Amino acid sequence: MELQAVLMAAGGGSRMTDLTYNTPKAMLPVGNKPLMWYPLNLLERVGFEEVIVITTKEVHKMMSTDPKMKVDVKMKLDVVCIQEDGDMGTADALRHIQQKIKTDILVVSCDLITDVALHEVVDLFRAHNATLAMLMSKAHEFTETVPGQKGKKKTAEQRDFVGVDQSGKRLLFMANEADLEDGLSIRKSIMRKHPRMHIKTGLVDAHLYCLKKAVVDFLADNKFISSIRGELVPYLVRKQFSKTPNSQKIKDDAEDQNQKKNDGSTNHELLISSRDEPLLQLAQERSCWNDHRGDMSEAYHGGKLRCYVHIMDEGPCYRVNTLAAYIEANRLAPKLFEEPAVHPSAVISERCQMGSDSIIGAMCQVADKTSIKRSTIGNSTTVKEKVKVTNSIVMHGVTIEEGCNIQGSVICSNAVIGRGADLKYCLVGNGQRIEQGAERTNEVIVGTDQLMEI
């Protein structure tokens, strides 16, 4: 592939701290595979042979010991560890690896699970010599009951307003509801060139971007941008229709700024050019093709900076960044890949009733008279006699004693569920112990140190 792939895997999972307190988001088990396995597999399937992985030392250490990462991932992983700093954004991370970037890049978040035809995004990027091409999908309404959330008022998500041209591919406008206090206003410079624009809501940014190498160079010079999604993408979309000053003015401005004591940003203009620019310009001039209707202007109205979006209408496309999305992802995972539901190393009693939509991980032991339906059982987990597990996620190394009933719950790694316990719609934190005969409903059961963290 002529693009370099970059996987962002340093995020702490701030919207799902009950799960990520002891396990980094990138290594959370989804269908008994680390979450970051899914975007890596997506990249490997389309032919990437090497990926730059931006992550933390903790995740890197866990990657080196995880069997799925060691056996399944054949690509070369160039791991770059950054400080576990809450202030470092995704654009900051790109800036950190600038010296490694030699070509245009494909950036993917570690929490993306999708079966998108990746060429749809890459082809837009190539065909239009775009500065940015990104993936969006329709927002999903999660129907499963979220453990510990009953009775809590659901926080309303801020909507994005996304403007596209008649083709539905050219990205003309993007704004978040929180930034529109005075209503939705469209700049005249956009409407003059694209008098018919479709404004869409109900879309989710999948955090998958193709970006020109010039954008990474621009970030290196302009430290005022910290986030790809929150700052860089809106900036690029706006800049498509800004007046571009001539190169001499930019040069003069840069010299002026160098003379001043600046704040670390040297040039706020993004110059998009390439070795083939004269040939591309000549091809456009001699071609009758145009990207728009309604006027006789040249292709792209002469703009050098162009942004595109592929909107995925069908198929799975989830960002696993909330507890609800994590639960949904575990329901989806078994359907994405044709693999045995029961790992060959698991020991399952013949008298265990197991639904076809469940997964049993490596080195598990499941005893007599058990029932497992619509559930994921993690590696090295022990399920003893007369246990019922329904609609639940059980992570690695969990022990479930005799006679327990677990319904609609998430049990984190190394927890112990005491004999005869009855758990309904609960989240049990890492390493927690539930006492014998306990009856818990709609609770989040975590350690006191974890509660302080939240």
Side-chain angles (χ1 to χ4, degrees), residues 220-225 257-258 262-268:
D221 290 336
N222 294 275
K223 296 181 173 59
F224 68 93
I225 292 178
Q257 288 176 352
N258 285 334
N262 59 37
D263 60 357
S265 65
T266 57
N267 179 10
H268 286 219

Side-chain angles (χ1 to χ4, degrees), residues 119-361:
H119 71 85
E120 297 276 11
V121 184
V122 177
D123 287 353
L124 275 178
F125 185 69
R126 291 172 175 151
H128 298 284
N129 192 26
T131 308
L132 160 74
M134 63 186 291
L135 173 66
M136 299 190 91
S137 71
K138 291 184 176 179
H140 297 279
E141 190 66 41
F142 300 120
T143 55
E144 298 287 347
T145 302
V146 179
Q149 297 295 309
K150 190 175 181 181
K152 292 185 180 178
K153 190 175 181 180
K154 189 177 178 182
T155 306
E157 291 279 343
Q158 298 283 5
R159 293 179 300 169
D160 281 324
F161 290 83
V162 178
V164 294
D165 69 355
Q166 287 178 280
S167 72
K169 300 293 185 183
R170 180 76 187 267
L171 183 57
L172 306 174
F173 175 84
M174 181 179 278
N176 188 268
E177 192 173 6
D179 302 324
L180 301 175
E181 295 176 1
D182 300 325
L184 184 67
S185 59
I186 310 294
R187 289 157 61 183
K188 289 180 182 177
S189 56
I190 302 176
M191 299 310 296
R192 275 196 296 268
K193 295 175 180 178
H194 297 274
R196 296 191 66 180
M197 177 169 61
H198 300 282
I199 300 287
K200 296 177 178 282
T201 59
L203 296 177
V204 175
D205 183 351
H207 286 220
L208 185 151
Y209 313 101
C210 290
L211 292 166
K212 286 279 191 193
K213 180 182 183 296
V215 175
V216 182
D217 297 336
F218 167 79
L219 286 174
D221 290 336
N222 294 275
K223 296 181 173 59
F224 68 93
I225 292 178
S226 180
S227 160
I228 295 177
R229 171 66 187 90
E231 295 167 316
L232 178 63
V233 171
Y235 178 86
L236 294 177
V237 173
R238 281 197 314 272
K239 276 290 179 181
Q240 292 179 99
F241 304 103
S242 297
K243 290 182 180 178
T244 306
N246 61 48
S247 57
Q248 184 58 47
K249 183 177 184 299
I250 293 171
K251 188 175 178 182
D252 293 343
D253 288 347
E255 288 174 357
D256 290 343
Q257 288 176 352
N258 285 334
Q259 289 170 2
K260 298 174 185 176
K261 187 176 181 181
N262 59 37
D263 60 357
S265 65
T266 57
N267 179 10
H268 286 219
E269 292 300 333
L270 175 59
L271 298 177
I272 300 297
S273 62
S274 67
R275 293 176 303 171
D276 303 323
E277 198 64 40
L279 288 173
L280 291 167
Q281 191 65 36
L282 183 63
Q284 282 185 26
E285 289 171 0
R286 297 193 176 181
S287 171
C288 61
W289 177 85
N290 209 329
D291 71 307
H292 59 270
R293 298 177 182 178
D295 61 48
M296 298 297 288
S297 297
E298 60 186 309
Y300 308 113
H301 291 97
K304 293 286 189 290
L305 199 159
R306 299 187 278 274
C307 300
Y308 285 82
V309 60
H310 172 63
I311 298 172
M312 191 172 170
D313 290 320
E314 295 181 353
C317 187
Y318 298 99
R319 283 202 62 226
V320 185
N321 59 354
T322 64
L323 181 54
Y326 178 74
I327 292 168
E328 190 69 25
N330 275 277
R331 306 272 176 263
L332 167 77
K335 301 171 187 174
L336 282 177
F337 302 97
E338 292 184 7
E339 294 182 355
V342 179
H343 193 276
S345 65
V347 179
I348 310 293
S349 167
E350 292 181 1
R351 298 175 69 184
C352 165
Q353 292 185 341
M354 178 183 156
S356 59
D357 46 7
S358 294
I359 300 177
I360 308 290

Side-chain angles (χ1 to χ4, degrees), residues 74-145:
K74 303 292 192 294
M75 293 181 296
K76 179 185 175 185
L77 302 182
D78 181 2
V79 179
V80 178
C81 293
I82 60 176
Q83 292 291 327
E84 297 181 46
D85 181 1
D87 294 333
M88 180 175 257
T90 46
D92 297 319
L94 278 185
R95 195 178 292 117
H96 185 73
I97 61 163
Q98 187 210 2
Q99 298 303 318
K100 290 180 175 284
I101 302 302
K102 309 299 181 188
T103 67
D104 299 338
I105 60 173
L106 173 64
V107 182
V108 191
S109 174
C110 74
D111 61 10
L112 176 64
I113 296 183
T114 181
D115 64 356
V116 67
L118 203 54
H119 71 85
E120 297 276 11
V121 184
V122 177
D123 287 353
L124 275 178
F125 185 69
R126 291 172 175 151
H128 298 284
N129 192 26
T131 308
L132 160 74
M134 63 186 291
L135 173 66
M136 299 190 91
S137 71
K138 291 184 176 179
H140 297 279
E141 190 66 41
F142 300 120
T143 55
E144 298 287 347
T145 302

Side-chain angles (χ1 to χ4, degrees), residues 4 71 116 151 181 202 215 302 307 331 352 382 388 394 397 426 434:
Q4 282 180 271
V71 175
V116 67
E181 295 176 1
V215 175
C307 300
R331 306 272 176 263
C352 165
T382 301
K388 287 182 69 176
V394 180
C426 290
I434 304 300

Side-chain angles (χ1 to χ4, degrees), residues 21-58:
Y21 181 69
N22 284 95
T23 305
K25 180 172 73 167
M27 296 303 293
L28 279 176
V30 175
N32 288 337
K33 299 179 179 75
L35 180 52
M36 68 186 298
W37 181 93
Y38 291 91
L40 286 171
N41 179 265
L42 175 69
L43 294 170
E44 194 165 72
R45 290 202 315 267
V46 297
F48 280 98
E49 296 177 354
E50 183 173 348
V51 180
I52 300 171
V53 180
I54 303 175
T55 189
T56 62
K57 288 181 180 178
E58 183 184 7

Side-chain angles (χ1 to χ4, degrees), residues 400-412:
I400 304 175
E401 300 286 356
E402 295 92 340
C404 291
N405 178 34
I406 299 173
Q407 179 181 338
S409 297
V410 176
I411 314 297
C412 294

